[in-house]
Structure formats: structure tokens, C-alpha cells
Amino acid sequence: MARSERVEFEGAFGDTLAARLERPSGVPRAYALFAHCFSCSKDILAATRISQRLSRQGIAVLRFDFTGLGHSEGEFANTNFSSNIEDLIQAAAFLERDHEAPSLLIGHSLGGAAVIAAARRIASTRAVVTINAPADADHVRKQFTEQVPEIEAKGEAQVHLAGRPFRIKKQFLDDIEGRSLEEAASALKLPLLIAHSPIDETVSIDNATRLFVAAKHPKSFLSLDHANHLLSGKDDARFVSDVIAAWANRYAAAERLPDPPSAVPQGVVVQETGQGKFQNWVVDADATTLTDEPESYGGMGSGPTPYGLLSASLGACTSMTIRMYANRKGWPLDRVTVTVRHNKDHADDCEHCGEEHSKVDIFERSIRLEGDLDTAQLDRLMEIADRCPVHRTLHEPVVVRTRREP
């Protein structure tokens, strides 16, 4: 489970920068900064998918719009590669002040060049990842080569990047001229993962070669087979995210949750984790999960609530009971979907409820049966749903015997 929230912080020029923090439920193992590609935004598919997937694997990620881009304030024409680096440093300061200093820097395309350049100025950095990054900042000239003479002659010009108009000033060209990242990669002295597509037509694979050769060990290379520059394929973003998460494990904090308790024969063990107010381990044989309360109740939202687990028990038992019956009959049931909602309501039909028991627990259960089933079969399966053992338990008197263990 993961959460996404909008945040803001002050950028290099004093403008308010828009950001989104993707956080795992519970305490993150690490915080990461994600720098997007030139003229892109934090909401580009690659940035969004990678950040969200990393958060589901325990790494919180802050992705933000550089000054003048996306939802951030400021004038893009006044920015340059140097100001992007300063924005990154401000983003790191925001994380350190409000959450935890970032230990992982991730950059896509020109953002990859920026994180290499910024890493030594962000003291908390423990590892750096680049994705389809150029080996020199002035590589972006190729995206508006025809307008370069006009920019140099008039001081600025309007260019079209990814179908949108942008103003580029001569100061931008001056800032990126001769800005090779090979020297910065060589002086990095941090673990570096270089991910690059061998068929990238925007930033060719030789850029990855130059960065890899310049960098000192420990360094790693990941080939993004069949991926384009923007990683627009969903599987490509998933692949690079999973590799980054596995690679970063060495440089992230150890798992902050304690080990779960040992299972017991024919029973379920529930034990507090020590994280947050309500988070507990739930161990049932070989299955281990978390239960918690939502943030609105003071929890961390790191797992289903106790009533959520009870609803899940009813739904799972219902589905399994229907499946067993359909299989035994040889009926063409393709899929069962059970939705259970729990609430409390007035007991209008409860003859024996006193005033203090004016409300009862109500489980609203809806069942969808997919397959080439006739009306008689559908009706019979709905009857069978009520034979689910958990359903029966909820309708029978229940005895809970409690003892204190020494």
C-alpha cells in the first residue's frame, strides 16, 4: 500500500515549486528525489510510474516540477541547467526539514545529468541512478538546433519541445556549453546505476558508455531493452523500478519493521510492530500481513483494519464456497468477485434490541458471477453463498475465551 500527497517548497529563485510525495504505508526505508527530463514535468508517465512503484517497495519518492514547468511557479526562460541543480538542492533541503534527508537521487534524461552534478552537494546522498541520461548537458541543443542561430543573434527564441512552445534564452546556451558530466561522474565517489536503452533515439547509448567509463566503482549498468527514451511502455517503467529497488536495498536503511512473530499450529498470532499506534503483524501459518487503522484514526494506513479483515474473511469464504460447488457440479463459472462493505445501522427489524443496542453491524455483500451460466445455475450459486462457514459463524452465537499468558 502507498500514499500520494501534494506538497510545495521554495525553489532556487524563490518561486513555489509543485511536488508530489509518494510514500509507502508505514516508515519508509529511504527517501529518494526524482528529477524529470528536460521540458517535462513530475507527472510524465515515467516519473509517475517509477515513483509509485518504488513507494510500494518501501522507498518514499519526491518528484517535483522544476521552476517554470508543470505546476511550479516561475519563468522557464530564466532557468538553466545550473538552476535545475539548485532546485534539486532545495528539494533535498525540504525533505530533510519536513521528513528525512534523501539517500537516493534518481534522474531521467537531463534530470539524470542534474543528479550527478548535484549529488556531491547533497550530503545525505548514498547512491545515484540515471535513466537515459546524456553525458554532457549541452546535448539538449539537439532538440532545437535550428533555433540556435536565432537565439545567439537575438538573445532568445521560441522553440517547440514535445509539441509545446518554450522560450529559450542565450544564457541557457551559455550555461550548458561545455558542461560535461564525465568529470562529475568520475568524482562522484558514490554507487552509481546507469540505466539506458540501446535504441534510445534522443540520447544515444554512447552517452551511457561515457558515463560508465568515467565513473568509479561501485557502478552498475542496466540495459533497458526495447524501451524508448521516455519509457512510455508500462512494462519498461515497472522493470527499471524493480531493479532500482533491488539495487538500492544495499544503500537504503534496513527494514525498519521488526521480524514478525512465529506462527502457531491451528491459530493466528497478532503482535504489535512498535511502529505507529495501531500497526500489528498478523501471522497465519505461512502467510504474514499487517493490520492497521487509517490515518484519520491515528494509524498509518499500512494494512486492512480489523473490520476490513473480517469483511475480507466473509468475502473470501463466500468466493471459495461458490467455487467449490461450481467445480463439483462442473458448471462453467469463470470468475467470482465478492464485494463486502461493513457499517452500523439502526436495527429496524431487531425485535429484541434494547435502547443501548439500537444499532447492529451490517455486512453488505454483493456477488458477481462470470461465465456461461443459466438463470437456474446463477440462482443456485447465490443460495450456496449463504452456506459459507464464515457467514454461518456470523449468524451463530460466538464464544470468545480469553486468558492471560505469563
Side-chain angles (χ1 to χ4, degrees):
M1 298 178 66
R3 295 164 289 171
S4 180
E5 60 182 285
R6 295 178 181 176
V7 296
E8 295 179 341
F9 61 92
E10 187 176 289
F13 295 145
D15 300 299
T16 298
L17 303 190
R20 188 165 284 277
L21 180 61
E22 309 289 348
R23 288 194 296 160
S25 297
V27 181
R29 294 188 296 112
Y31 277 80
L33 265 178
F34 191 104
H36 61 70
C37 51
F38 178 61
S39 77
C40 300
S41 79
K42 69 180 184 306
D43 299 317
I44 190 173
L45 285 177
T48 301
R49 289 170 174 168
I50 291 173
S51 299
Q52 291 177 345
R53 193 161 180 87
L54 285 175
S55 71
R56 288 194 290 270
Q57 300 185 54
I59 298 175
V61 184
L62 179 72
R63 49 187 170 98
F64 69 96
D65 292 326
F66 285 110
T67 300
L69 291 171
H71 296 96
S72 288
E73 296 178 350
E75 179 60 48
F76 176 78
N78 295 329
T79 68
N80 50 41
F81 185 65
S82 294
S83 71
N84 285 351
I85 295 172
E86 297 302 322
D87 280 347
L88 271 169
I89 293 170
Q90 291 298 311
F94 161 75
L95 278 179
E96 183 173 13
R97 182 177 65 251
D98 288 22
H99 299 279
E100 181 181 300
S103 57
L104 180 63
L105 302 185
I106 307 170
H108 179 207
S109 193
L110 189 63
V115 297
I116 290 177
R120 297 186 68 187
R121 295 179 58 191
I122 300 175
S124 58
T125 305
R126 299 190 62 196
V128 178
V129 179
T130 67
I131 303 169
N132 291 340
D136 44 70
D138 63 6
H139 186 279
V140 297
R141 284 175 183 261
K142 295 181 179 180
Q143 296 190 42
F144 49 87
T145 303
E146 294 181 358
Q147 286 79 31
V148 168
E150 182 182 353
I151 296 171
E152 293 178 339
K154 297 182 179 180
E156 64 178 68
Q158 181 170 286
V159 304
H160 281 79
L161 303 169
R164 294 177 295 154
F166 292 91
R167 267 196 318 133
I168 302 291
K169 292 184 177 181
K170 187 175 183 298
Q171 61 87 17
F172 182 92
L173 298 182
D174 294 339
D175 184 67
I176 61 176
E177 185 174 2
R179 293 288 291 267
S180 172
L181 276 303
E182 291 169 272
E183 183 177 345
S186 178
L188 194 58
K189 296 181 181 179
L190 290 169
L192 175 64
L193 171 62
I194 299 172
H196 212 107
S197 170
I199 59 171
D200 190 334
E201 296 181 352
T202 303
V203 180
S204 60
I205 189 67
D206 64 287
N207 286 270
T209 301
R210 289 168 56 192
L211 289 174
F212 189 84
V213 170
K216 302 295 191 294
H217 285 291
K219 56 185 177 181
S220 305
F221 176 76
L222 172 64
S223 180
L224 304 177
D225 301 348
H226 312 299
N228 58 26
H229 180 69
L230 295 178
L231 300 184
S232 55
K234 188 174 183 179
D235 289 342
D236 298 325
R238 181 185 296 116
F239 172 61
V240 72
S241 303
D242 290 348
V243 174
I244 290 173
W247 178 82
N249 274 338
R250 183 182 293 269
Y251 313 109
E255 184 65 53
R256 298 185 184 182
L257 282 171
D259 291 335
S262 299
V264 297
Q266 299 179 337
V268 175
V269 181
V270 179
Q271 184 183 78
E272 291 184 323
T273 66
Q275 301 288 341
K277 293 182 180 180
F278 304 117
Q279 189 185 69
N280 278 262
W281 284 118
V282 178
V283 179
D284 182 6
D286 294 330
T288 301
T289 188
L290 291 170
T291 183
D292 203 345
E293 290 289 351
E295 290 185 343
S296 58
Y297 284 87
M300 298 186 295
S302 58
T305 66
Y307 271 111
L309 291 174
L310 185 56
S311 298
S313 296
L314 175 59
C317 182
T318 301
S319 177
M320 293 174 185
T321 301
I322 291 173
R323 171 55 60 191
M324 290 174 62
Y325 187 86
N327 286 356
R328 187 165 66 249
K329 290 291 187 178
W331 291 354
L333 175 63
D334 295 335
R335 177 180 292 176
V336 181
T337 303
V338 183
T339 302
V340 180
R341 293 180 174 86
H342 169 261
N343 59 75
K344 291 180 181 287
D345 205 347
H346 291 283
D348 296 330
D349 57 351
C350 182
E351 298 178 359
H352 307 292
C353 292
E355 191 65 30
E356 67 274 18
H357 301 295
S358 59
K359 288 189 176 183
V360 296
D361 290 282
I362 297 177
F363 291 89
E364 299 281 356
R365 180 178 59 176
S366 62
I367 303 171
R368 184 169 72 248
L369 304 173
E370 301 176 40
D372 188 18
L373 300 161
D374 59 35
T375 301
Q377 291 171 330
L378 290 170
D379 291 343
R380 181 57 177 162
L381 290 176
M382 292 299 291
E383 292 176 7
I384 292 299
D386 288 342
R387 297 187 183 181
C388 150
V390 172
H391 183 141
R392 290 181 171 181
T393 298
L394 290 172
H395 279 276
E396 296 293 334
V398 176
V399 177
V400 178
R401 297 191 178 99
T402 305
R403 62 185 177 85
R404 182 175 61 86
E405 293 188 357

